[in-house]
Amino acid sequence: MTQAAVKVRKVACPSCGETTEYSPTNAFRPFCSQRCKLVDLGDWATEKFRIPDHTPPDLPESE
Ligand SMILES: [Zn+2]
């Protein structure tokens, strides 16, 4: 066992499912590309920030 070579870990891109390298050279890991990363973040953002406007709900006046 003399091989100290870094074994590149492969992961499936969470966005498109494409196999990509999970390594420091892949700036977009665990995504395969910048596009996939942005797409995923975009999805996340639109989901998370889809908050209704700040109108207070009309609470029923029931005591
Ligand atoms: Zn991808």
Side-chain angles (χ1 to χ4, degrees), residues 1-50:
M1 272 236 185
T2 44
Q3 258 197 335
V6 182
K7 198 154 192 202
V8 177
R9 204 166 133 207
K10 302 266 190 173
V11 293
C13 170
S15 187
C16 71
E18 192 93 15
T19 305
T20 183
E21 290 184 5
Y22 192 93
S23 68
T25 52
N26 180 4
F28 312 113
R29 64 188 186 277
F31 302 93
C32 68
S33 64
Q34 184 181 31
R35 202 178 131 216
C36 277
K37 187 176 183 174
L38 290 178
V39 164
D40 196 77
L41 287 177
D43 276 358
W44 181 85
T46 32
E47 286 302 314
K48 284 285 179 195
F49 292 107
R50 209 196 296 167

